[in-house]
Amino acid sequence: MLSDESGNISSKRFIGIISGLSLCITMYVNSYSHGDVKPADSLVDAVAMLSFGCLGLASIDKVFGKRSNNKSTEE
């Protein structure tokens, strides 16, 4: 799940999954804590954008990376 097409660990996927898990854990813990002990809304938004951005970039690389590799081998 973390490796790319060549078998190496993808840093985008790793960071995306770690930030997504930390966001889920933080939101779960904060649902049971007091209102004065919560992260700033901008921090939560930044972690969510980092997670979705990294996983989205990994998906885009996977889709469009194959097309460019196939074209270069055909020529």
Side-chain angles (χ1 to χ4, degrees):
M1 189 158 90
L2 292 176
S3 57
D4 58 6
E5 291 79 24
S6 62
N8 298 327
I9 294 178
S10 173
S11 61
K12 287 179 275 204
R13 292 178 188 172
F14 180 74
I15 291 172
I17 290 172
I18 294 297
S19 60
L21 287 174
S22 67
L23 181 65
C24 291
I25 291 169
T26 301
M27 299 304 270
Y28 180 76
V29 169
N30 283 332
S31 66
Y32 294 108
S33 64
H34 298 290
D36 57 341
V37 184
K38 67 175 190 171
D41 292 335
S42 59
L43 181 63
V44 172
D45 292 340
V47 173
M49 288 182 358
L50 176 68
S51 176
F52 297 140
C54 287
L55 293 175
L57 287 174
S59 299
I60 289 173
D61 284 348
K62 187 173 184 177
V63 171
F64 291 112
K66 288 182 180 179
R67 288 185 185 171
S68 63
N69 288 341
N70 288 340
K71 287 182 182 179
S72 63
T73 57
E74 291 175 1
E75 295 176 359

mmCIF file of all heavy atoms in Angstrom, residues 5-45:
data_model
loop_
_atom_site.group_PDB
_atom_site.id
_atom_site.type_symbol
_atom_site.label_atom_id
_atom_site.label_comp_id
_atom_site.label_asym_id
_atom_site.label_seq_id
_atom_site.Cartn_x
_atom_site.Cartn_y
_atom_site.Cartn_z
ATOM 1 N N GLU A 5 5.071 2.083 -8.050
ATOM 2 C CA GLU A 5 5.123 1.098 -9.116
ATOM 3 C C GLU A 5 6.458 0.358 -9.182
ATOM 4 O O GLU A 5 6.529 -0.788 -9.579
ATOM 5 C CB GLU A 5 4.861 1.774 -10.475
ATOM 6 C CG GLU A 5 3.441 2.270 -10.634
ATOM 7 C CD GLU A 5 3.201 3.594 -9.916
ATOM 8 O OE1 GLU A 5 4.171 4.343 -9.680
ATOM 9 O OE2 GLU A 5 2.048 3.857 -9.573
ATOM 10 N N SER A 6 7.530 1.030 -8.790
ATOM 11 C CA SER A 6 8.851 0.403 -8.848
ATOM 12 C C SER A 6 9.201 -0.375 -7.577
ATOM 13 O O SER A 6 10.271 -0.949 -7.483
ATOM 14 C CB SER A 6 9.921 1.467 -9.121
ATOM 15 O OG SER A 6 9.946 2.413 -8.069
ATOM 16 N N GLY A 7 8.306 -0.397 -6.598
ATOM 17 C CA GLY A 7 8.531 -1.155 -5.380
ATOM 18 C C GLY A 7 9.147 -0.358 -4.248
ATOM 19 O O GLY A 7 9.336 -0.878 -3.156
ATOM 20 N N ASN A 8 9.471 0.916 -4.469
ATOM 21 C CA ASN A 8 10.025 1.761 -3.418
ATOM 22 C C ASN A 8 8.904 2.365 -2.581
ATOM 23 O O ASN A 8 7.791 2.552 -3.065
ATOM 24 C CB ASN A 8 10.853 2.903 -4.037
ATOM 25 C CG ASN A 8 12.028 2.371 -4.813
ATOM 26 O OD1 ASN A 8 12.598 1.355 -4.478
ATOM 27 N ND2 ASN A 8 12.367 3.070 -5.886
ATOM 28 N N ILE A 9 9.217 2.685 -1.337
ATOM 29 C CA ILE A 9 8.221 3.320 -0.472
ATOM 30 C C ILE A 9 7.999 4.745 -0.954
ATOM 31 O O ILE A 9 8.938 5.515 -1.115
ATOM 32 C CB ILE A 9 8.665 3.290 0.997
ATOM 33 C CG1 ILE A 9 8.690 1.842 1.484
ATOM 34 C CG2 ILE A 9 7.727 4.118 1.854
ATOM 35 C CD1 ILE A 9 9.159 1.688 2.903
ATOM 36 N N SER A 10 6.746 5.103 -1.191
ATOM 37 C CA SER A 10 6.383 6.430 -1.673
ATOM 38 C C SER A 10 6.237 7.377 -0.492
ATOM 39 O O SER A 10 5.440 7.133 0.422
ATOM 40 C CB SER A 10 5.071 6.359 -2.452
ATOM 41 O OG SER A 10 4.629 7.636 -2.792
ATOM 42 N N SER A 11 6.992 8.457 -0.508
ATOM 43 C CA SER A 11 6.922 9.417 0.599
ATOM 44 C C SER A 11 5.582 10.133 0.619
ATOM 45 O O SER A 11 5.069 10.454 1.691
ATOM 46 C CB SER A 11 8.056 10.433 0.486
ATOM 47 O OG SER A 11 7.954 11.162 -0.721
ATOM 48 N N LYS A 12 4.977 10.359 -0.538
ATOM 49 C CA LYS A 12 3.671 11.020 -0.575
ATOM 50 C C LYS A 12 2.605 10.146 0.066
ATOM 51 O O LYS A 12 1.782 10.635 0.833
ATOM 52 C CB LYS A 12 3.289 11.348 -2.016
ATOM 53 C CG LYS A 12 4.080 12.488 -2.605
ATOM 54 C CD LYS A 12 3.656 12.734 -4.014
ATOM 55 C CE LYS A 12 4.447 11.783 -4.858
ATOM 56 N NZ LYS A 12 4.663 12.110 -6.218
ATOM 57 N N ARG A 13 2.631 8.874 -0.235
ATOM 58 C CA ARG A 13 1.651 7.972 0.370
ATOM 59 C C ARG A 13 1.888 7.827 1.866
ATOM 60 O O ARG A 13 0.941 7.804 2.653
ATOM 61 C CB ARG A 13 1.710 6.608 -0.298
ATOM 62 C CG ARG A 13 1.229 6.640 -1.715
ATOM 63 C CD ARG A 13 1.336 5.301 -2.359
ATOM 64 N NE ARG A 13 1.053 5.397 -3.780
ATOM 65 C CZ ARG A 13 1.203 4.433 -4.626
ATOM 66 N NH1 ARG A 13 1.654 3.266 -4.210
ATOM 67 N NH2 ARG A 13 0.924 4.605 -5.903
ATOM 68 N N PHE A 14 3.143 7.719 2.265
ATOM 69 C CA PHE A 14 3.474 7.577 3.687
ATOM 70 C C PHE A 14 2.999 8.798 4.471
ATOM 71 O O PHE A 14 2.316 8.667 5.489
ATOM 72 C CB PHE A 14 4.975 7.374 3.856
ATOM 73 C CG PHE A 14 5.413 7.230 5.279
ATOM 74 C CD1 PHE A 14 5.162 6.061 5.967
ATOM 75 C CD2 PHE A 14 6.048 8.269 5.919
ATOM 76 C CE1 PHE A 14 5.562 5.921 7.293
ATOM 77 C CE2 PHE A 14 6.455 8.141 7.232
ATOM 78 C CZ PHE A 14 6.206 6.968 7.927
ATOM 79 N N ILE A 15 3.330 9.992 3.989
ATOM 80 C CA ILE A 15 2.933 11.218 4.688
ATOM 81 C C ILE A 15 1.421 11.381 4.661
ATOM 82 O O ILE A 15 0.810 11.798 5.653
ATOM 83 C CB ILE A 15 3.644 12.434 4.071
ATOM 84 C CG1 ILE A 15 5.134 12.365 4.381
ATOM 85 C CG2 ILE A 15 3.050 13.743 4.596
ATOM 86 C CD1 ILE A 15 5.961 13.407 3.676
ATOM 87 N N GLY A 16 0.789 11.045 3.555
ATOM 88 C CA GLY A 16 -0.661 11.149 3.459
ATOM 89 C C GLY A 16 -1.371 10.242 4.443
ATOM 90 O O GLY A 16 -2.329 10.648 5.102
ATOM 91 N N ILE A 17 -0.910 9.011 4.551
ATOM 92 C CA ILE A 17 -1.550 8.064 5.469
ATOM 93 C C ILE A 17 -1.287 8.450 6.920
ATOM 94 O O ILE A 17 -2.196 8.413 7.755
ATOM 95 C CB ILE A 17 -1.090 6.628 5.168
ATOM 96 C CG1 ILE A 17 -1.695 6.181 3.832
ATOM 97 C CG2 ILE A 17 -1.481 5.672 6.284
ATOM 98 C CD1 ILE A 17 -1.187 4.865 3.322
ATOM 99 N N ILE A 18 -0.063 8.844 7.235
ATOM 100 C CA ILE A 18 0.255 9.245 8.613
ATOM 101 C C ILE A 18 -0.538 10.483 9.016
ATOM 102 O O ILE A 18 -1.091 10.546 10.116
ATOM 103 C CB ILE A 18 1.773 9.490 8.777
ATOM 104 C CG1 ILE A 18 2.538 8.171 8.607
ATOM 105 C CG2 ILE A 18 2.100 10.141 10.113
ATOM 106 C CD1 ILE A 18 2.211 7.127 9.642
ATOM 107 N N SER A 19 -0.626 11.480 8.125
ATOM 108 C CA SER A 19 -1.375 12.690 8.476
ATOM 109 C C SER A 19 -2.871 12.398 8.564
ATOM 110 O O SER A 19 -3.565 12.958 9.415
ATOM 111 C CB SER A 19 -1.083 13.820 7.491
ATOM 112 O OG SER A 19 -1.452 13.453 6.194
ATOM 113 N N GLY A 20 -3.383 11.511 7.725
ATOM 114 C CA GLY A 20 -4.790 11.131 7.822
ATOM 115 C C GLY A 20 -5.102 10.406 9.124
ATOM 116 O O GLY A 20 -6.124 10.665 9.761
ATOM 117 N N LEU A 21 -4.215 9.491 9.502
ATOM 118 C CA LEU A 21 -4.409 8.791 10.780
ATOM 119 C C LEU A 21 -4.320 9.734 11.970
ATOM 120 O O LEU A 21 -5.118 9.641 12.905
ATOM 121 C CB LEU A 21 -3.380 7.668 10.927
ATOM 122 C CG LEU A 21 -3.594 6.440 10.055
ATOM 123 C CD1 LEU A 21 -2.420 5.483 10.198
ATOM 124 C CD2 LEU A 21 -4.891 5.753 10.420
ATOM 125 N N SER A 22 -3.357 10.642 11.941
ATOM 126 C CA SER A 22 -3.230 11.592 13.057
ATOM 127 C C SER A 22 -4.442 12.512 13.128
ATOM 128 O O SER A 22 -4.898 12.862 14.223
ATOM 129 C CB SER A 22 -1.939 12.396 12.937
ATOM 130 O OG SER A 22 -1.974 13.241 11.812
ATOM 131 N N LEU A 23 -4.994 12.879 11.981
ATOM 132 C CA LEU A 23 -6.200 13.708 11.970
ATOM 133 C C LEU A 23 -7.384 12.952 12.560
ATOM 134 O O LEU A 23 -8.124 13.491 13.387
ATOM 135 C CB LEU A 23 -6.511 14.164 10.547
ATOM 136 C CG LEU A 23 -7.715 15.063 10.365
ATOM 137 C CD1 LEU A 23 -7.481 16.392 11.063
ATOM 138 C CD2 LEU A 23 -8.001 15.287 8.903
ATOM 139 N N CYS A 24 -7.548 11.695 12.180
ATOM 140 C CA CYS A 24 -8.646 10.890 12.721
ATOM 141 C C CYS A 24 -8.504 10.676 14.220
ATOM 142 O O CYS A 24 -9.485 10.784 14.962
ATOM 143 C CB CYS A 24 -8.718 9.552 12.006
ATOM 144 S SG CYS A 24 -9.253 9.670 10.303
ATOM 145 N N ILE A 25 -7.305 10.384 14.663
ATOM 146 C CA ILE A 25 -7.074 10.171 16.101
ATOM 147 C C ILE A 25 -7.325 11.457 16.879
ATOM 148 O O ILE A 25 -7.966 11.448 17.940
ATOM 149 C CB ILE A 25 -5.650 9.631 16.341
ATOM 150 C CG1 ILE A 25 -5.544 8.207 15.797
ATOM 151 C CG2 ILE A 25 -5.282 9.682 17.815
ATOM 152 C CD1 ILE A 25 -4.128 7.678 15.734
ATOM 153 N N THR A 26 -6.844 12.570 16.351
ATOM 154 C CA THR A 26 -7.045 13.858 17.025
ATOM 155 C C THR A 26 -8.525 14.203 17.127
ATOM 156 O O THR A 26 -8.995 14.650 18.177
ATOM 157 C CB THR A 26 -6.301 14.972 16.276
ATOM 158 O OG1 THR A 26 -4.921 14.649 16.230
ATOM 159 C CG2 THR A 26 -6.486 16.305 16.950
ATOM 160 N N MET A 27 -9.258 13.995 16.052
ATOM 161 C CA MET A 27 -10.683 14.308 16.075
ATOM 162 C C MET A 27 -11.437 13.386 17.044
ATOM 163 O O MET A 27 -12.348 13.825 17.735
ATOM 164 C CB MET A 27 -11.271 14.192 14.671
ATOM 165 C CG MET A 27 -10.651 15.152 13.686
ATOM 166 S SD MET A 27 -10.752 16.854 14.205
ATOM 167 C CE MET A 27 -12.295 17.286 13.487
ATOM 168 N N TYR A 28 -11.042 12.127 17.112
ATOM 169 C CA TYR A 28 -11.688 11.195 18.029
ATOM 170 C C TYR A 28 -11.413 11.581 19.485
ATOM 171 O O TYR A 28 -12.322 11.610 20.306
ATOM 172 C CB TYR A 28 -11.208 9.770 17.753
ATOM 173 C CG TYR A 28 -11.819 8.745 18.663
ATOM 174 C CD1 TYR A 28 -13.122 8.319 18.476
ATOM 175 C CD2 TYR A 28 -11.093 8.204 19.722
ATOM 176 C CE1 TYR A 28 -13.703 7.385 19.313
ATOM 177 C CE2 TYR A 28 -11.658 7.266 20.566
ATOM 178 C CZ TYR A 28 -12.961 6.866 20.356
ATOM 179 O OH TYR A 28 -13.531 5.947 21.194
ATOM 180 N N VAL A 29 -10.153 11.887 19.787
ATOM 181 C CA VAL A 29 -9.799 12.266 21.159
ATOM 182 C C VAL A 29 -10.480 13.569 21.548
ATOM 183 O O VAL A 29 -10.964 13.723 22.675
ATOM 184 C CB VAL A 29 -8.260 12.369 21.307
ATOM 185 C CG1 VAL A 29 -7.864 13.009 22.617
ATOM 186 C CG2 VAL A 29 -7.637 10.998 21.180
ATOM 187 N N ASN A 30 -10.550 14.514 20.626
ATOM 188 C CA ASN A 30 -11.169 15.801 20.936
ATOM 189 C C ASN A 30 -12.676 15.713 21.097
ATOM 190 O O ASN A 30 -13.280 16.593 21.703
ATOM 191 C CB ASN A 30 -10.830 16.828 19.858
ATOM 192 C CG ASN A 30 -9.431 17.339 20.005
ATOM 193 O OD1 ASN A 30 -8.890 17.366 21.097
ATOM 194 N ND2 ASN A 30 -8.834 17.722 18.902
ATOM 195 N N SER A 31 -13.296 14.673 20.586
ATOM 196 C CA SER A 31 -14.734 14.538 20.781
ATOM 197 C C SER A 31 -15.074 14.202 22.226
ATOM 198 O O SER A 31 -16.206 14.416 22.657
ATOM 199 C CB SER A 31 -15.304 13.482 19.842
ATOM 200 O OG SER A 31 -14.807 12.212 20.164
ATOM 201 N N TYR A 32 -14.104 13.686 22.986
ATOM 202 C CA TYR A 32 -14.327 13.352 24.387
ATOM 203 C C TYR A 32 -13.636 14.314 25.351
ATOM 204 O O TYR A 32 -13.671 14.103 26.552
ATOM 205 C CB TYR A 32 -13.841 11.926 24.675
ATOM 206 C CG TYR A 32 -14.655 10.893 23.957
ATOM 207 C CD1 TYR A 32 -14.133 10.203 22.880
ATOM 208 C CD2 TYR A 32 -15.963 10.612 24.348
ATOM 209 C CE1 TYR A 32 -14.882 9.253 22.203
ATOM 210 C CE2 TYR A 32 -16.722 9.670 23.685
ATOM 211 C CZ TYR A 32 -16.170 9.001 22.614
ATOM 212 O OH TYR A 32 -16.911 8.075 21.944
ATOM 213 N N SER A 33 -12.995 15.360 24.848
ATOM 214 C CA SER A 33 -12.305 16.305 25.735
ATOM 215 C C SER A 33 -13.097 17.610 25.832
ATOM 216 O O SER A 33 -14.061 17.832 25.104
ATOM 217 C CB SER A 33 -10.892 16.581 25.227
ATOM 218 O OG SER A 33 -10.947 17.206 23.969
ATOM 219 N N HIS A 34 -12.654 18.474 26.728
ATOM 220 C CA HIS A 34 -13.314 19.770 26.926
ATOM 221 C C HIS A 34 -13.034 20.687 25.749
ATOM 222 O O HIS A 34 -12.068 20.518 25.011
ATOM 223 C CB HIS A 34 -12.810 20.424 28.213
ATOM 224 C CG HIS A 34 -13.121 19.613 29.431
ATOM 225 N ND1 HIS A 34 -14.405 19.461 29.906
ATOM 226 C CD2 HIS A 34 -12.323 18.899 30.261
ATOM 227 C CE1 HIS A 34 -14.380 18.699 30.986
ATOM 228 N NE2 HIS A 34 -13.128 18.338 31.231
ATOM 229 N N GLY A 35 -13.864 21.691 25.608
ATOM 230 C CA GLY A 35 -13.732 22.626 24.498
ATOM 231 C C GLY A 35 -12.494 23.497 24.563
ATOM 232 O O GLY A 35 -12.033 23.994 23.541
ATOM 233 N N ASP A 36 -11.949 23.703 25.765
ATOM 234 C CA ASP A 36 -10.764 24.560 25.887
ATOM 235 C C ASP A 36 -9.476 23.830 25.505
ATOM 236 O O ASP A 36 -8.446 24.461 25.312
ATOM 237 C CB ASP A 36 -10.646 25.126 27.299
ATOM 238 C CG ASP A 36 -10.596 24.049 28.367
ATOM 239 O OD1 ASP A 36 -11.004 22.914 28.078
ATOM 240 O OD2 ASP A 36 -10.145 24.363 29.485
ATOM 241 N N VAL A 37 -9.535 22.496 25.354
ATOM 242 C CA VAL A 37 -8.364 21.719 24.968
ATOM 243 C C VAL A 37 -8.610 21.135 23.576
ATOM 244 O O VAL A 37 -8.913 19.970 23.409
ATOM 245 C CB VAL A 37 -8.103 20.566 25.968
ATOM 246 C CG1 VAL A 37 -6.831 19.827 25.609
ATOM 247 C CG2 VAL A 37 -8.054 21.075 27.382
ATOM 248 N N LYS A 38 -8.505 21.981 22.575
ATOM 249 C CA LYS A 38 -8.697 21.512 21.207
ATOM 250 C C LYS A 38 -7.725 22.254 20.295
ATOM 251 O O LYS A 38 -7.304 23.366 20.599
ATOM 252 C CB LYS A 38 -10.136 21.718 20.738
ATOM 253 C CG LYS A 38 -10.530 23.166 20.577
ATOM 254 C CD LYS A 38 -11.915 23.258 19.996
ATOM 255 C CE LYS A 38 -12.191 24.716 19.621
ATOM 256 N NZ LYS A 38 -13.407 24.868 18.863
ATOM 257 N N PRO A 39 -7.351 21.641 19.195
ATOM 258 C CA PRO A 39 -6.438 22.315 18.266
ATOM 259 C C PRO A 39 -7.172 23.430 17.517
ATOM 260 O O PRO A 39 -8.398 23.426 17.409
ATOM 261 C CB PRO A 39 -6.008 21.205 17.311
ATOM 262 C CG PRO A 39 -7.093 20.210 17.369
ATOM 263 C CD PRO A 39 -7.661 20.289 18.750
ATOM 264 N N ALA A 40 -6.410 24.353 16.996
ATOM 265 C CA ALA A 40 -6.997 25.443 16.235
ATOM 266 C C ALA A 40 -7.611 24.903 14.946
ATOM 267 O O ALA A 40 -7.150 23.905 14.384
ATOM 268 C CB ALA A 40 -5.928 26.480 15.906
ATOM 269 N N ASP A 41 -8.671 25.559 14.503
ATOM 270 C CA ASP A 41 -9.338 25.111 13.280
ATOM 271 C C ASP A 41 -8.412 25.172 12.072
ATOM 272 O O ASP A 41 -8.470 24.311 11.195
ATOM 273 C CB ASP A 41 -10.573 25.973 13.010
ATOM 274 C CG ASP A 41 -11.661 25.749 14.058
ATOM 275 O OD1 ASP A 41 -11.672 24.662 14.672
ATOM 276 O OD2 ASP A 41 -12.494 26.658 14.237
ATOM 277 N N SER A 42 -7.546 26.177 12.035
ATOM 278 C CA SER A 42 -6.619 26.287 10.907
ATOM 279 C C SER A 42 -5.615 25.133 10.897
ATOM 280 O O SER A 42 -5.213 24.665 9.833
ATOM 281 C CB SER A 42 -5.881 27.627 10.953
ATOM 282 O OG SER A 42 -5.166 27.757 12.161
ATOM 283 N N LEU A 43 -5.233 24.633 12.071
ATOM 284 C CA LEU A 43 -4.317 23.498 12.150
ATOM 285 C C LEU A 43 -4.987 22.223 11.644
ATOM 286 O O LEU A 43 -4.386 21.443 10.906
ATOM 287 C CB LEU A 43 -3.823 23.318 13.583
ATOM 288 C CG LEU A 43 -2.846 22.180 13.831
ATOM 289 C CD1 LEU A 43 -1.568 22.420 13.046
ATOM 290 C CD2 LEU A 43 -2.545 22.057 15.303
ATOM 291 N N VAL A 44 -6.220 22.020 12.009
ATOM 292 C CA VAL A 44 -6.965 20.848 11.543
ATOM 293 C C VAL A 44 -7.134 20.913 10.026
ATOM 294 O O VAL A 44 -6.962 19.912 9.322
ATOM 295 C CB VAL A 44 -8.333 20.751 12.260
ATOM 296 C CG1 VAL A 44 -9.194 19.655 11.657
ATOM 297 C CG2 VAL A 44 -8.137 20.519 13.739
ATOM 298 N N ASP A 45 -7.463 22.093 9.507
ATOM 299 C CA ASP A 45 -7.607 22.255 8.058
ATOM 300 C C ASP A 45 -6.295 22.003 7.326
ATOM 301 O O ASP A 45 -6.278 21.389 6.255
ATOM 302 C CB ASP A 45 -8.120 23.656 7.726
ATOM 303 C CG ASP A 45 -9.552 23.882 8.179
ATOM 304 O OD1 ASP A 45 -10.274 22.883 8.389
ATOM 305 O OD2 ASP A 45 -9.939 25.057 8.322
#
